[in-house]
Short mmCIF file of all heavy atoms in Angstrom, two decimals:
data_model
loop_
_atom_site.label_atom_id
_atom_site.label_comp_id
_atom_site.label_asym_id
_atom_site.label_seq_id
_atom_site.Cartn_x
_atom_site.Cartn_y
_atom_site.Cartn_z
N VAL I 192 -29.74 17.95 -52.64
CA VAL I 192 -30.32 17.12 -53.48
C VAL I 192 -30.38 17.81 -54.79
O VAL I 192 -31.00 18.91 -54.97
CB VAL I 192 -31.96 16.81 -53.02
CG1 VAL I 192 -32.63 15.97 -53.97
CG2 VAL I 192 -31.90 16.23 -51.67
N ASP I 193 -29.69 17.24 -55.78
CA ASP I 193 -29.57 17.77 -57.09
C ASP I 193 -29.11 19.23 -57.13
O ASP I 193 -29.65 20.11 -57.76
CB ASP I 193 -30.94 17.71 -57.89
CG ASP I 193 -31.34 16.31 -58.07
OD1 ASP I 193 -30.47 15.40 -58.24
OD2 ASP I 193 -32.60 15.95 -58.03
N GLY I 194 -28.19 19.53 -56.17
CA GLY I 194 -27.67 20.75 -56.16
C GLY I 194 -28.42 21.90 -55.45
O GLY I 194 -27.94 23.10 -55.41
N ILE I 195 -29.39 21.52 -54.73
CA ILE I 195 -30.28 22.40 -53.97
C ILE I 195 -30.40 22.08 -52.58
O ILE I 195 -30.46 20.74 -52.23
CB ILE I 195 -31.77 22.41 -54.65
CG1 ILE I 195 -31.77 22.70 -56.12
CG2 ILE I 195 -32.71 23.26 -53.81
CD1 ILE I 195 -31.28 24.18 -56.37
N VAL I 196 -30.42 22.89 -51.61
CA VAL I 196 -30.59 22.62 -50.15
C VAL I 196 -32.02 22.17 -49.89
O VAL I 196 -32.95 22.90 -50.31
CB VAL I 196 -30.21 23.86 -49.28
CG1 VAL I 196 -30.46 23.60 -47.81
CG2 VAL I 196 -28.75 24.28 -49.50
N GLU I 197 -32.13 20.99 -49.26
CA GLU I 197 -33.44 20.58 -48.79
C GLU I 197 -33.39 20.30 -47.40
O GLU I 197 -32.44 19.73 -46.77
CB GLU I 197 -33.62 19.20 -49.54
CG GLU I 197 -35.00 18.60 -49.25
CD GLU I 197 -35.12 17.15 -49.80
OE1 GLU I 197 -35.23 17.20 -51.12
OE2 GLU I 197 -35.39 16.18 -49.06
N LYS I 198 -34.44 20.69 -46.69
CA LYS I 198 -34.60 20.61 -45.16
C LYS I 198 -35.34 19.28 -44.91
O LYS I 198 -36.46 19.03 -45.67
CB LYS I 198 -35.33 21.71 -44.68
CG LYS I 198 -35.57 21.76 -43.21
CD LYS I 198 -36.33 23.05 -42.80
CE LYS I 198 -36.67 23.06 -41.44
NZ LYS I 198 -37.35 24.36 -40.94
N ARG I 199 -34.91 18.45 -44.08
CA ARG I 199 -35.56 17.17 -43.83
C ARG I 199 -35.61 16.80 -42.45
O ARG I 199 -34.62 16.91 -41.63
CB ARG I 199 -34.83 15.93 -44.58
CG ARG I 199 -35.65 14.62 -44.41
CD ARG I 199 -35.34 13.55 -45.28
NE ARG I 199 -35.27 13.89 -46.65
CZ ARG I 199 -34.49 13.18 -47.52
NH1 ARG I 199 -33.84 12.08 -47.04
NH2 ARG I 199 -34.45 13.49 -48.75
N TYR I 200 -36.86 16.51 -41.87
CA TYR I 200 -36.98 16.31 -40.43
C TYR I 200 -36.59 14.87 -40.24
O TYR I 200 -36.80 13.94 -40.98
CB TYR I 200 -38.44 16.54 -40.08
CG TYR I 200 -38.74 18.03 -39.96
CD1 TYR I 200 -39.38 18.65 -41.07
CD2 TYR I 200 -38.51 18.70 -38.91
CE1 TYR I 200 -39.48 20.15 -41.01
CE2 TYR I 200 -38.69 19.99 -38.74
CZ TYR I 200 -39.29 20.64 -39.76
OH TYR I 200 -39.51 22.01 -39.71
N VAL I 201 -35.92 14.60 -38.96
CA VAL I 201 -35.40 13.31 -38.72
C VAL I 201 -35.80 12.93 -37.32
O VAL I 201 -36.29 13.85 -36.49
CB VAL I 201 -33.84 13.33 -38.82
CG1 VAL I 201 -33.39 13.48 -40.29
CG2 VAL I 201 -33.28 14.43 -37.94
N THR I 202 -35.81 11.67 -36.99
CA THR I 202 -36.13 11.15 -35.60
C THR I 202 -34.65 10.68 -35.09
O THR I 202 -33.95 10.06 -35.70
CB THR I 202 -37.02 9.93 -35.65
OG1 THR I 202 -38.28 10.38 -36.30
CG2 THR I 202 -37.36 9.42 -34.24
N LEU I 203 -34.46 11.19 -33.88
CA LEU I 203 -33.14 11.04 -33.18
C LEU I 203 -33.16 9.82 -32.29
O LEU I 203 -34.15 9.53 -31.72
CB LEU I 203 -32.60 12.29 -32.52
CG LEU I 203 -32.51 13.47 -33.33
CD1 LEU I 203 -32.04 14.61 -32.42
CD2 LEU I 203 -31.66 13.41 -34.46
N GLY I 204 -32.02 9.20 -32.14
CA GLY I 204 -31.86 8.07 -31.18
C GLY I 204 -30.91 8.49 -30.09
O GLY I 204 -30.93 9.56 -29.63
N ILE I 205 -29.94 7.60 -29.64
CA ILE I 205 -29.13 7.90 -28.62
C ILE I 205 -27.95 8.80 -29.12
O ILE I 205 -27.87 8.99 -30.46
CB ILE I 205 -28.43 6.61 -28.12
CG1 ILE I 205 -27.55 5.94 -29.14
CG2 ILE I 205 -29.47 5.73 -27.46
CD1 ILE I 205 -26.85 4.68 -28.64
N SER I 206 -27.23 9.56 -28.38
CA SER I 206 -26.36 10.46 -28.72
C SER I 206 -25.12 10.56 -27.72
O SER I 206 -25.31 10.09 -26.54
CB SER I 206 -26.89 11.91 -28.80
OG SER I 206 -27.38 12.33 -27.58
N SER I 207 -24.02 11.06 -28.12
CA SER I 207 -22.77 11.23 -27.36
C SER I 207 -22.62 12.79 -27.43
O SER I 207 -23.42 13.57 -27.99
CB SER I 207 -21.68 10.47 -27.73
OG SER I 207 -21.16 10.97 -29.08
N ASP I 208 -21.52 13.28 -26.91
CA ASP I 208 -21.13 14.68 -27.04
C ASP I 208 -20.81 15.00 -28.51
O ASP I 208 -20.82 16.17 -28.86
CB ASP I 208 -19.75 14.94 -26.23
CG ASP I 208 -20.02 14.84 -24.73
OD1 ASP I 208 -21.20 14.96 -24.33
OD2 ASP I 208 -19.08 14.66 -23.99
N GLU I 209 -20.47 14.15 -29.24
CA GLU I 209 -19.96 14.34 -30.67
C GLU I 209 -21.00 13.94 -31.82
O GLU I 209 -21.17 14.56 -32.75
CB GLU I 209 -18.67 13.58 -30.93
CG GLU I 209 -17.63 14.20 -30.12
CD GLU I 209 -16.25 13.43 -30.38
OE1 GLU I 209 -15.95 13.11 -31.58
OE2 GLU I 209 -15.49 13.14 -29.42
N TYR I 210 -21.75 12.78 -31.55
CA TYR I 210 -22.55 12.17 -32.54
C TYR I 210 -23.97 11.97 -32.00
O TYR I 210 -24.13 11.73 -30.94
CB TYR I 210 -21.97 10.87 -33.16
CG TYR I 210 -20.70 11.10 -33.80
CD1 TYR I 210 -19.35 10.90 -33.20
CD2 TYR I 210 -20.52 11.49 -35.22
CE1 TYR I 210 -18.22 11.12 -33.88
CE2 TYR I 210 -19.50 11.70 -35.83
CZ TYR I 210 -18.24 11.57 -35.22
OH TYR I 210 -17.06 11.81 -35.82
N VAL I 211 -24.93 11.83 -32.93
CA VAL I 211 -26.28 11.45 -32.76
C VAL I 211 -26.82 10.51 -33.72
O VAL I 211 -26.50 10.52 -34.76
CB VAL I 211 -27.18 12.78 -32.68
CG1 VAL I 211 -27.26 13.38 -34.04
CG2 VAL I 211 -28.61 12.41 -32.23
N GLU I 212 -27.52 9.50 -33.31
CA GLU I 212 -28.13 8.42 -34.12
C GLU I 212 -29.35 8.98 -34.75
O GLU I 212 -30.10 9.69 -34.23
CB GLU I 212 -28.50 7.31 -33.22
CG GLU I 212 -29.20 6.20 -34.04
CD GLU I 212 -29.69 5.04 -33.04
OE1 GLU I 212 -29.90 5.27 -31.89
OE2 GLU I 212 -30.07 4.05 -33.63
N ILE I 213 -29.45 8.60 -36.05
CA ILE I 213 -30.71 9.03 -36.78
C ILE I 213 -31.45 7.75 -37.01
O ILE I 213 -31.10 6.86 -37.75
CB ILE I 213 -30.25 9.62 -38.21
CG1 ILE I 213 -29.24 10.78 -38.10
CG2 ILE I 213 -31.49 10.09 -38.91
CD1 ILE I 213 -29.75 12.04 -37.33
N LEU I 214 -32.67 7.73 -36.36
CA LEU I 214 -33.49 6.60 -36.49
C LEU I 214 -34.27 6.59 -37.84
O LEU I 214 -34.44 5.49 -38.44
CB LEU I 214 -34.46 6.50 -35.26
CG LEU I 214 -33.84 6.33 -33.96
CD1 LEU I 214 -34.87 6.39 -32.82
CD2 LEU I 214 -33.19 4.93 -33.80
N GLU I 215 -34.84 7.69 -38.17
CA GLU I 215 -35.75 7.80 -39.20
C GLU I 215 -35.43 9.11 -40.00
O GLU I 215 -35.12 10.09 -39.43
CB GLU I 215 -37.20 7.79 -38.96
CG GLU I 215 -37.68 6.50 -38.27
CD GLU I 215 -39.08 6.52 -37.95
OE1 GLU I 215 -39.73 7.52 -38.08
OE2 GLU I 215 -39.54 5.50 -37.35
N GLY I 216 -35.58 9.12 -41.39
CA GLY I 216 -35.51 10.37 -42.13
C GLY I 216 -34.31 10.39 -43.11
O GLY I 216 -34.41 11.36 -43.96
N LEU I 217 -33.36 9.60 -42.92
CA LEU I 217 -32.24 9.63 -43.76
C LEU I 217 -31.89 8.22 -44.27
O LEU I 217 -32.17 7.19 -43.62
CB LEU I 217 -30.90 10.10 -42.97
CG LEU I 217 -30.89 11.63 -42.82
CD1 LEU I 217 -29.60 11.89 -41.98
CD2 LEU I 217 -31.02 12.47 -44.00
N GLU I 218 -31.23 8.20 -45.37
CA GLU I 218 -30.56 7.01 -45.92
C GLU I 218 -29.11 7.17 -45.82
O GLU I 218 -28.64 8.31 -45.78
CB GLU I 218 -31.03 6.74 -47.36
CG GLU I 218 -32.49 6.60 -47.63
CD GLU I 218 -32.97 5.31 -46.95
OE1 GLU I 218 -32.31 4.27 -46.95
OE2 GLU I 218 -34.19 5.34 -46.45
#
Side-chain angles (χ1 to χ4, degrees):
V192 179
D193 297 328
I195 303 294
V196 174
E197 180 181 300
K198 180 179 181 179
R199 184 165 311 157
Y200 287 93
V201 292
T202 304
L203 305 182
I205 64 173
S206 65
S207 69
D208 291 340
E209 298 177 37
Y210 295 97
V211 62
E212 176 190 13
I213 307 298
L214 294 173
E215 294 177 3
L217 285 183
E218 299 295 326

